[in-house]
Amino acid sequence: MLDLFYPWHPMLTAAANVGIFGILCGAFVASMAVSTCSPRTREILMADAPILGLDKDHREAAGRLLTSFFDDYERSIPDRPLVPVVDRDVLAGLLANPFPDKGLGVEGLFREINEKILPNSTTVAHPRFLAYVLGPPNGIAPYAEAIAATINQNCNFWQLSPAASVVERAVITWLGGLFGYDERSGGILTGGGSIATLNALTTALHAHLPGFREQGLQNSGPQLVVYTSAEAHRCVDKAAALLGLGTDNVRHIPTDDHFRMRVDALEDAIRADRAAGREPFCVVATPGTVTSGSIDPIDAIADLCEREELWLHLDGAYGALFVLSERKREAFAACARADSIALDPHKLLFTPLEAGCLLVRDRSLLAKAYAFSSSYLTVEEDPLMLDYMDYGPQLSRSFKALKVWSALQAFGVDAFREAVDHTLDLAQYMADLIKADPGLELMTPVSLTAVCFRIKGASAADHTAVLAELIEEGTALLGPACLDGRRGMRACITNYRTTRDDIELIVDRLSEIARRRPATDTPETFL
């Protein structure tokens, strides 16, 4: 099954970076639907296209051009620049030029896309695009996106999206089951992990404070405090700011030598805040920190949260779906004890953006936070379907679940397990090559697929210059790393297209650069 994820498999890798083409795909799918009608029905449908529809010829043109785009892009990915040489005049024109009173038509639109949009787009599907936790989309996703755009379900209450409601529920149930959540659990698909964490803290506030919906924070109660790791993602601070908690009330707990949250320091911080008259209410732990991939000691943190009666949220946007790997399952077993988990199908399920998820151990708490009644949205309850408007802040919601569900159906779960293992293997292979090179060093052991390393003796400015050089010459797009005040570089391997050859090419080039350094024990410029 692993070959499903390799570049030569047409179904998985038919396209990447295709979000902007969803509506165009919709036209293609619509033409397919029309072709299945009876001759008389087809004649009526094609006789006079609606003002914003496409007639038969234009549907066929859109389908042909889109298929050609998919095929051409797929073949060109390894040879495309990682980061475009931005044509500022073209982009300035896109900003300044007014939209036409008379449309360009299908072929004119595709010409604009091919000549202006694509050349100025980053090739995130490139096998050496390793700077961020952002992999290429799986190959069935563009077609699922097309179908979702065509049927245009509004996933708020089930009457507007009955099948979509069940599909999202199936995806949420499967995701929750990966972490041992039972039938009382639930969740909702979101735009990403940051929104999932924001929604989780909102839910935690409603669960912690009776009357929070009515009074909010406009009372004379003690200041509420959130705790997270010094290595946590910035979304925790952003959520605290947006919810009115204030970033001054976010405690960034020190980490150990492997960049995991120190439970003793967490306990001390909680005790100090209680003694000062403040009110701890939530801990955000991280199973897979954004820089190093370190896994916080979830079991010990859960024990402390139970004793202190605190909500435990896990920001698993990067790391949580490594639970798909048999070799990592034990490391994530304690996640079942969390009150909520944020994760991102648009990372390790290789779903195109956007597709995040919030799981909650008790789904009734989501409704407590988000369900509002209104006469114009009344619908009879159905035991099979859920009204997702009661599980999050949005009313209008797209059919995100279809692209996740479609990939799992098309490829099967085993293919994703193998893809995840593939990235883990490559990360360890890269770590081994770095450890064996006299000019390079790891900054911390590799826990997942984030590989943080340094050129021995190099300064922060040196590392910045190396990153720029690697991009300019087309070797790789890597990112900066800062751990315990030390600056270096980071490769995050979440790309099923990446091969051992790619890893060897990157490390060999880094080794060449390291050998340009003068023989000295003090950091200095060597470029």
Side-chain angles (χ1 to χ4, degrees):
M1 292 295 292
L2 186 57
D3 62 343
L4 288 177
F5 282 88
Y6 281 359
W8 55 80
H9 192 282
M11 189 175 189
L12 183 68
T13 58
N17 292 333
V18 295
I20 61 172
F21 296 103
I23 294 175
L24 297 171
C25 292
F28 178 53
V29 172
S31 70
M32 295 168 60
V34 169
S35 69
T36 63
C37 299
S38 68
R40 177 56 183 158
T41 302
R42 191 158 58 242
E43 179 182 338
I44 294 171
L45 288 173
M46 293 180 176
D48 187 17
I51 190 169
L52 292 179
L54 298 178
D55 62 22
K56 177 179 179 296
D57 291 341
H58 287 129
R59 283 194 298 272
E60 289 179 351
R64 172 177 49 79
L65 290 167
L66 186 62
T67 300
S68 177
F69 177 90
F70 283 178
D71 291 344
D72 292 346
Y73 189 77
E74 172 61 31
R75 285 192 293 268
S76 71
I77 286 173
D79 301 319
R80 299 191 68 81
L82 284 151
V83 177
V85 178
V86 173
D87 189 327
R88 302 189 68 82
D89 290 338
V90 167
L91 295 188
L94 291 176
L95 180 63
N97 294 339
F99 290 105
D101 289 330
K102 302 298 182 182
L104 302 175
V106 170
E107 298 207 11
L109 172 61
F110 270 89
R111 189 161 48 249
E112 287 283 289
I113 290 168
N114 282 309
E115 294 178 358
K116 298 178 181 179
I117 303 297
L118 187 57
N120 290 289
S121 297
T122 303
T123 311
V124 301
H126 194 286
R128 296 191 298 280
F129 179 93
L130 304 176
Y132 306 103
V133 190
L134 176 61
N138 64 72
I140 200 64
Y143 305 98
E145 290 266 63
I147 293 168
T150 301
I151 62 178
N152 199 32
Q153 300 294 277
N154 193 347
C155 301
N156 46 23
F157 59 95
W158 71 261
Q159 194 176 51
L160 292 186
S161 51
S165 173
V166 174
V167 167
E168 183 159 357
R169 189 173 182 182
V171 169
I172 293 294
T173 300
W174 177 73
L175 289 169
L178 295 176
F179 302 96
Y181 274 14
D182 61 23
E183 66 279 356
R184 296 180 301 116
S185 67
I188 188 168
L189 294 182
T190 68
S194 294
I195 295 298
T197 289
L198 174 64
N199 291 359
L201 265 62
T202 304
T203 306
L205 283 169
H206 283 80
H208 182 78
L209 291 178
F212 177 75
R213 167 173 290 189
E214 295 78 19
Q215 299 173 21
L217 299 176
Q218 306 294 339
N219 56 44
S220 58
Q223 289 181 311
L224 297 170
V225 184
V226 181
Y227 304 83
T228 194
S229 162
E231 291 294 318
H233 192 274
R234 68 177 188 170
C235 69
V236 181
D237 290 271
K238 185 177 285 190
L242 291 173
L243 291 171
L245 296 166
T247 56
D248 286 348
N249 292 312
V250 179
R251 304 285 179 262
H252 295 95
I253 305 302
T255 59
D256 63 17
D257 291 342
H258 295 296
F259 306 101
R260 300 169 300 198
M261 189 191 298
R262 283 176 43 202
V263 181
D264 63 322
L266 173 61
E267 190 167 13
D268 289 345
I270 292 170
R271 186 183 303 114
D273 278 321
R274 290 201 192 280
R278 291 180 283 268
E279 187 172 345
F281 88 99
C282 179
V283 175
V284 181
T286 311
T289 55
V290 66
T291 299
S292 65
S294 301
I295 300 172
D296 286 339
I298 306 300
D299 240 340
I301 294 171
D303 287 341
L304 179 58
C305 287
E306 285 183 5
R307 291 197 303 271
E308 297 286 344
E309 297 183 340
L310 305 180
W311 184 281
L312 175 57
H313 174 64
L314 302 183
D315 176 11
Y318 163 36
L321 282 170
F322 283 104
V323 73
L324 286 165
S325 171
E326 184 66 37
R327 72 185 79 163
K328 295 296 180 182
R329 198 155 298 157
E330 185 176 349
F332 291 90
C335 292
R337 302 182 62 188
D339 295 290
S340 57
I341 304 171
L343 56 90
D344 275 348
H346 65 217
K347 291 185 172 70
L348 290 179
L349 292 183
F350 307 102
T351 305
L353 298 165
E354 303 167 350
C357 178
L358 171 63
L359 300 173
V360 178
R361 189 166 54 175
D362 179 356
R363 69 172 179 266
S364 70
L365 297 177
L366 278 175
K368 181 179 179 181
Y370 289 110
F372 283 76
S373 61
S374 50
S375 59
Y376 52 87
L377 292 175
T378 301
V379 65
E380 184 178 342
E381 290 188 7
D382 188 290
L384 180 61
M385 292 168 280
L386 297 178
D387 297 329
Y388 279 98
M389 64 182 179
D390 293 339
Y391 285 73
Q394 288 180 273
L395 180 59
S396 299
R397 299 179 65 245
S398 65
F399 192 1
K400 288 183 175 69
L402 185 63
K403 55 191 174 185
V404 182
W405 180 89
S406 296
L408 291 168
Q409 292 284 356
F411 301 119
V413 177
D414 282 351
F416 289 94
R417 292 191 182 105
E418 293 185 42
V420 168
D421 281 339
H422 176 65
T423 64
L424 288 166
D425 289 341
L426 288 179
Q428 191 55 57
Y429 182 54
M430 185 173 192
D432 291 342
L433 293 177
I434 289 170
K435 285 189 289 187
D437 192 287
L440 306 173
E441 61 181 352
L442 290 177
M443 299 173 71
T444 189
V446 174
S447 300
L448 298 173
T449 60
V451 184
C452 298
F453 61 94
R454 302 178 71 252
I455 295 175
K456 290 180 180 178
S459 68
D462 291 335
H463 285 110
T464 300
V466 171
L467 291 173
E469 182 176 3
L470 294 174
I471 295 171
E472 185 176 357
E473 68 191 20
T475 297
L477 179 62
L478 307 182
C482 182
L483 291 171
D484 198 24
R486 301 171 71 219
R487 299 282 177 173
M489 294 179 279
R490 170 179 173 274
C492 192
I493 303 167
T494 51
N495 190 330
Y496 61 78
R497 296 174 181 269
T498 307
T499 67
R500 287 170 71 96
D501 287 345
D502 293 310
I503 299 301
E504 290 169 4
L505 185 152
I506 294 168
V507 176
D508 286 348
R509 182 66 182 118
L510 289 166
S511 183
E512 289 177 8
I513 293 172
R515 288 196 296 272
R516 300 201 305 238
R517 241 192 57 74
T520 176
D521 292 331
T522 58
E524 58 182 282
T525 301
F526 57 93
L527 298 174

